Amino acid sequence: MVAGLLIAAATNIAHDVYTHVIKKGVSGETTEVRVAKLATIAVGVAAILLALATKSVNVAFLVGLAFAVAASANLPVILYSLYWKRFNTAGAVSALIAGVASAVGLVLVGPAVIGPKGLMLTDVQPLISLINPGVISIPIGFFAGWLEPS
């Protein structure tokens, strides 16, 4: 399962991000394979570092945070794509980036990372008291998606 996720992430980075966004669709097959190999290493290292940083945290809590981040990124894009005719690519990218950035940012300044039982800092008070950022980050994603097509 982990290998499948790693391959999917590397393929997404190499094909979608590198070839279609950075190179505007003009990229050779050899270059795309090289980027996929580098992306595999980068994603693998990032996953290992995150696993080491969160090894003492409750798995159910981490799953909840993962769902909050995923919902913040995907829910606005899916619903706008289905029900709003004026929704476009720029709105989808804006909603996705704003949703992920706000969810991850809120997790980093919240009690999951900062606070008496946080992962990293123990003597600092968290900036927000929400354990799960979805209540704030999902509406931010909706707002960014709504704002862009206007």
Side-chain angles (χ1 to χ4, degrees):
M1 186 164 109
V2 173
L5 290 173
L6 191 61
I7 290 170
T11 304
N12 182 13
I13 292 169
H15 183 70
D16 296 336
V17 175
Y18 178 76
T19 300
H20 291 294
V21 175
I22 296 172
K23 290 294 188 176
K24 308 282 190 227
V26 181
S27 176
E29 200 173 288
T30 307
T31 307
E32 194 171 326
V33 170
R34 187 178 314 116
V35 171
K37 288 178 181 179
L38 292 173
T40 303
I41 293 169
V43 171
V45 168
I48 290 169
L49 292 175
L50 283 171
L52 290 173
T54 59
K55 66 182 177 186
S56 63
V57 179
N58 184 351
V59 174
F61 173 72
L62 290 176
V63 169
L65 287 181
F67 277 116
V69 172
S72 301
N74 296 322
L75 185 64
V77 175
I78 291 170
L79 290 180
Y80 279 150
S81 296
L82 290 174
Y83 298 112
W84 190 19
K85 291 181 182 185
R86 287 185 37 218
F87 191 61
N88 57 24
T89 303
V93 171
S94 297
L96 187 103
I97 290 172
V100 168
S102 62
V104 171
L106 289 169
V107 168
L108 291 176
V109 299
V113 175
I114 299 174
K117 296 185 180 184
L119 297 176
M120 293 183 217
L121 304 172
T122 57
D123 296 334
V124 180
Q125 290 294 325
L127 298 176
I128 63 165
S129 61
L130 292 175
I131 294 174
N132 194 314
V135 172
I136 297 173
S137 59
I138 293 172
I140 289 173
F142 273 107
F143 181 70
W146 169 81
L147 193 63
E148 188 61 39
S150 302

